Amino acid sequence: MLSHPEQYERLRAACPEAAPTAVLAGDPCYDRILAARPRRERFRRALGVRPGQRLVLLNSTWNPESLFGDGGQVPDGGDVVAALLSRVADEFPLDEYRFAAVLHPNIWHGHGPGQIRAWLDRARRGGLALIDPLSGWRQALLAADAVIGDHGSVTFYAAALGTPVLLGSVPLHALDPDAPISAFMREAPRLDPDARLLPQIEELMARHRPLPGPAEFTTSVPGESAARLRKLFYSMMGVPEPGRPASLEPLPLPGHEPGTATVPLRVLTRVLGPGEIEVGRWAGERPQTGSALDGELHIAVHEDTRDVDRLDLADVVFRDGAPDDPRFGSPSVWTAEVLHRHRGCFLAAYVTGPSSCVVRVRGAAPLHMVAMPTTDAEGVSAADPAVYASALHAWLATGGHEPGAVEERLARAVAGGLAVRTGARLHRVRIVPLAPEEATA
């Protein structure tokens, strides 16, 4: 079964006896991907990618020189993915970038799912989505804004789709020099392991021009594989084809995977003007912001963190859940309990939905923070509501934590709302008191 005539020439050179049996059948896997392109935004939402966020996909095939191996460039024998993920946590702001990993099924089979999840545990708690290697990788590939990959087929599919690709492993000696994948490997941009990763990704996307080879050579008959394969199979059985058109199973919509980070977050904030706050959050131990730290730093920690000792050091403690979840009483009850339990915490936030949260400042009544609905064309969209809580913390902290100053700035925020910036995005947030029945629940 061949997807392109160029494969026939290489087959004839390598095994002349097999050449007469070759059939040009196209690529059903790639055809399913092409057919699902209109559903890209749904796949992005399923992966928890918010408007304005960029999804970067880490992809590895399964041999020692793959991205999950040493890539031929890790001196201590470690794998490229592990080296990348520690830098991802330090360099990439959570609210501007989302990361996902697609690993070849043989990696899962060879090491075992438990070991894979253990190796990637810190990254997953920092927001990495670990994609199902059989049923979810095509959808993630369509959702991606950029791919860091190697010489595997998924990376080549990404290039065929026109997605920017940065090669983290390039074992040219292991490839047929006449194969299209070899030509792609020679031409595609390569990861510089000694340079910061964020500028490389930004430059990759800004300067991207799709190479023609992957799209040309993935299949010469796009969209035709179902018809060609069915015709072949029925001819081999010696029976007529059904009268209905041949078709492939559509890619299913994956379950929702929110990008919740439960590791302690370093939050850098700057008050840009009255009620306007810039917020950046990092999941790493040593955030590299790319500029002088001229803002204020505070710590925000999810209540379900494994680093439970950090809860007593957190400035903001947050969690997400349904507002009527009986386990937490209510958002009002939960915020009060958190501030009572963690005496060093200044603000507790219960995320109640994709654009809202209930917050309680120490010594004050609970409040509802809601992103104002606006059109994406205006460059305004909903961020993770926990960002709004950190913005409120920053706004209140600028006048010190003296009761009078906090009350005055809190009243101004309730009266005028906040404008919260995450990267290039602006989010306007209303702050309103809870209804009496909500505040006393």
Side-chain angles (χ1 to χ4, degrees), residues 3 16 30 40 46 67 133 141 149 167 178 180-181 213 232 243 250 279 290 324 332 358 361 370 421 426:
S3 65
Y30 189 59
R40 180 175 188 263
L67 196 71
L141 191 61
L167 296 177
D178 296 324
I181 183 74
L232 172 65
V279 182
D324 58 351
S332 178
V358 171
V361 176
V370 185
R421 290 192 177 274
L426 176 66

Side-chain angles (χ1 to χ4, degrees), residues 77-207:
D79 62 83
V80 180
V81 168
L84 287 177
L85 289 175
S86 63
R87 295 164 60 189
V88 164
D90 287 339
E91 293 189 37
F92 289 82
L94 276 178
D95 302 295
E96 298 175 49
Y97 286 89
R98 175 95 159 103
F99 278 77
V102 170
L103 307 179
H104 194 282
N106 284 356
I107 297 177
W108 290 84
H109 178 73
H111 298 290
Q115 182 63 75
I116 296 299
R117 293 189 177 94
W119 279 333
L120 300 180
D121 176 69
R122 177 58 169 74
R124 293 172 64 212
R125 290 186 287 118
L128 175 76
L130 189 54
I131 306 300
D132 185 284
L134 298 178
S135 63
W137 67 268
R138 300 170 186 85
Q139 297 90 323
L141 191 61
L142 282 166
D145 295 295
V147 172
I148 301 176
D150 53 23
H151 55 295
S153 59
V154 175
T155 300
F156 196 69
Y157 279 141
L161 291 170
T163 305
V165 169
L166 191 64
L167 296 177
S169 174
V170 190
L172 287 171
H173 64 276
L175 303 173
D176 179 351
D178 296 324
I181 183 74
S182 293
F184 167 67
M185 289 277 153
R186 290 190 291 267
E187 297 176 45
R190 301 188 185 186
L191 173 73
D192 181 350
D194 299 319
R196 289 187 64 222
L197 184 57
L198 176 57
Q200 293 186 69
I201 292 295
E202 290 179 335
E203 182 179 12
L204 173 73
M205 290 189 282
R207 300 180 61 181

